[in-house]
Amino acid sequence: MKKLAMICVCGALFAMMKPVAAIDPATMTAAAPKALELASIWSPHTISALQSGGVGLMKIGESTLSILLLPAGILQCTLGAPFGMFDDGVQNCIKGGCAPFELVYQVILLPIRIISLGTVR
């Protein structure tokens, strides 16, 4: 059954492939100077977009990991209270409760970071 499913999937992938068309060398030679000119114009913008997007992805990861502060804070409030961890537990509960909203904000802000509207850091 697994082999039949794999054969069907591979057959569907091969059926979707288009035949490769050859590119005329003269066309490539004529287009190369314009392509280099455009690359030199757009490279600073591309690098800036990649840097801003990387910062945005790191902030999304940070927000995702801070969601785990909520269960840690609950454990600190309940089991760690006799050991003086109640205050830290309350702070972690607050940070962990706000983290999903911060995650949504960072995800919404990611396209704005990538197209670099202003300096969103």
Side-chain angles (χ1 to χ4, degrees):
M1 191 67 173
K2 289 181 183 179
K3 289 181 183 179
L4 180 63
M6 288 299 293
I7 290 171
C8 290
V9 168
C10 289
L13 288 175
F14 287 128
M16 288 189 292
M17 289 185 182
K18 292 186 207 177
V20 178
I23 298 174
D24 184 24
T27 306
M28 291 298 294
T29 305
K34 189 65 175 174
L36 289 174
E37 180 184 339
L38 290 174
S40 66
I41 292 171
W42 281 100
S43 63
H45 303 290
T46 306
I47 291 170
S48 173
L50 287 173
Q51 287 176 341
S52 297
V55 168
L57 288 175
M58 289 187 342
K59 289 190 178 211
I60 288 173
E62 181 182 341
S63 299
T64 304
L65 287 177
S66 64
I67 292 174
L68 297 175
L69 288 175
L70 182 61
I74 292 172
L75 281 175
Q76 286 177 333
C77 285
T78 56
L79 300 177
F83 304 108
M85 289 191 234
F86 185 77
D87 294 335
D88 294 333
V90 170
Q91 289 177 359
N92 286 338
C93 283
I94 292 170
K95 288 179 187 174
C98 294
F101 301 106
E102 181 184 352
L103 176 63
V104 169
Y105 171 72
Q106 294 296 339
V107 169
I108 291 171
L109 199 62
L110 183 64
I112 297 170
R113 288 181 196 276
I114 291 174
I115 60 175
S116 299
L117 292 176
T119 54
V120 183
R121 292 282 173 183

